[in-house]
Amino acid sequence: MTAALELKNVGRSFIQGEKELVVLKGADLAISRGEMVALVAPSGSGKSTLLQIAGLLEKPNNGEVMVDARECSKLEDRARTAMRRRSIGFVYQFHHLLPELSALENVMIPQLILGRSRNDASARAKTLLDHMRIAARSDHRPAELSGGEQQRVAIARAVANEPQVLLADEPTGNLDPSTSDHVFQSLTEIVRESGLAALIATHNYDLADRMDRIVTLENGQVVAKTS
């Protein structure tokens, strides 16, 4: 099976003063459709850099980034933006919902940007919010929602354009254990049913153990996490 997301020999370094800081060095990672991979690594190990490169937000110094079997690391900015909108969904620790819009409108926005009609965008948003068990709150603005509700709206927004890849950075890091469990369950269901390839950075080992496999970063490389 072709991987929906694949990093091949990815390297990334930064110049700090007169020194070169090597963050990633020959990093390889492949994630299949419907697979959830936990990225558990200490702060400063390159976790955020890896996610940004996988999400086409940052270019590697070398190596390849394959999204849906297309090499994307050398695309021009406009093409990279188009690829992100169409094929990659993002969920962050903080929901980043637009405060002046309702939950429904927040899920409609990425679809409208992609060119979908308002009727189709609204129908898709309603379906997703219902799937996330938050349809009854669809006309509420973010400030009127609980933390868990906000994050479920953020997940619905991330998958609104039916991406191939979902990247999440501490998606339950701001939530209490019970709410975290509910949000993670909703995230799991949508990954399995949509056939997304999901890479989820987390410090929560209980959640990581519920995913298909766990990887970490050591000396700039992606390695399987062993217990």
Side-chain angles (χ1 to χ4, degrees):
M1 180 183 292
T2 302
L5 172 66
E6 188 169 6
L7 308 183
K8 298 180 179 180
N9 195 37
V10 166
R12 186 70 172 103
S13 61
F14 302 90
I15 301 299
Q16 289 190 339
E18 297 180 355
K19 294 184 178 180
E20 181 183 28
L21 175 63
V22 178
V23 180
L24 299 175
K25 184 179 181 181
D28 296 300
L29 177 65
I31 305 177
S32 301
R33 291 171 177 81
E35 184 181 25
M36 297 181 73
V37 176
L39 174 59
V40 180
S43 299
S45 62
K47 187 170 52 178
S48 295
T49 299
L50 183 74
L51 285 171
Q52 288 173 339
I53 288 174
L56 308 182
L57 293 167
E58 189 174 313
K59 288 186 178 183
N61 295 117
N62 57 270
E64 297 181 339
V65 180
M66 310 288 294
V67 178
D68 199 23
R70 181 181 179 185
E71 210 292 296
C72 299
S73 64
K74 298 173 184 66
L75 293 176
E76 296 299 321
D77 288 346
R78 183 174 294 181
R80 288 160 63 82
T81 298
M83 194 70 179
R84 279 197 304 272
R85 287 175 178 169
R86 184 172 62 250
S87 299
I88 303 173
F90 298 89
V91 182
Y92 300 98
Q93 180 174 353
F94 300 99
H95 55 77
H96 296 300
L97 298 174
L98 296 174
E100 69 277 13
L101 300 182
S102 68
L104 182 73
E105 291 166 334
N106 266 283
V107 182
M108 289 174 63
I109 285 294
Q111 302 177 72
L112 297 175
I113 291 172
L114 203 63
R116 188 169 286 174
S117 72
R118 289 195 67 85
N119 285 343
D120 287 348
S122 177
R124 168 83 174 149
K126 288 176 181 176
T127 296
L128 287 169
L129 291 174
D130 183 57
H131 184 88
M132 300 299 288
R133 302 181 183 89
I134 197 175
R137 310 282 280 166
S138 62
D139 61 344
H140 289 64
R141 293 183 180 182
E144 301 170 309
L145 303 174
S146 70
E149 289 170 338
Q150 291 170 346
Q151 201 64 322
R152 278 184 277 171
V153 174
I155 293 169
R157 179 185 59 184
V159 301
N161 284 336
E162 302 174 79
Q164 304 296 315
V165 175
L166 181 68
L167 302 173
D169 191 0
E170 299 288 350
T172 63
N174 250 10
L175 307 174
D176 65 78
S178 177
T179 304
S180 172
D181 187 70
H182 288 305
V183 169
F184 181 76
Q185 183 60 37
S186 297
L187 180 61
T188 300
E189 289 173 3
I190 210 152
V191 167
R192 303 302 191 202
E193 293 177 15
S194 303
L196 290 161
L199 177 61
I200 301 172
T202 181
H203 284 106
N204 187 325
Y205 279 93
D206 289 336
L207 296 185
D209 285 337
R210 291 161 60 183
M211 298 189 221
D212 297 306
R213 55 191 169 103
I214 303 173
V215 298
T216 189
L217 286 165
E218 293 181 4
N219 300 318
Q221 296 185 324
V222 180
V223 298
K225 183 80 172 177
T226 56
S227 55

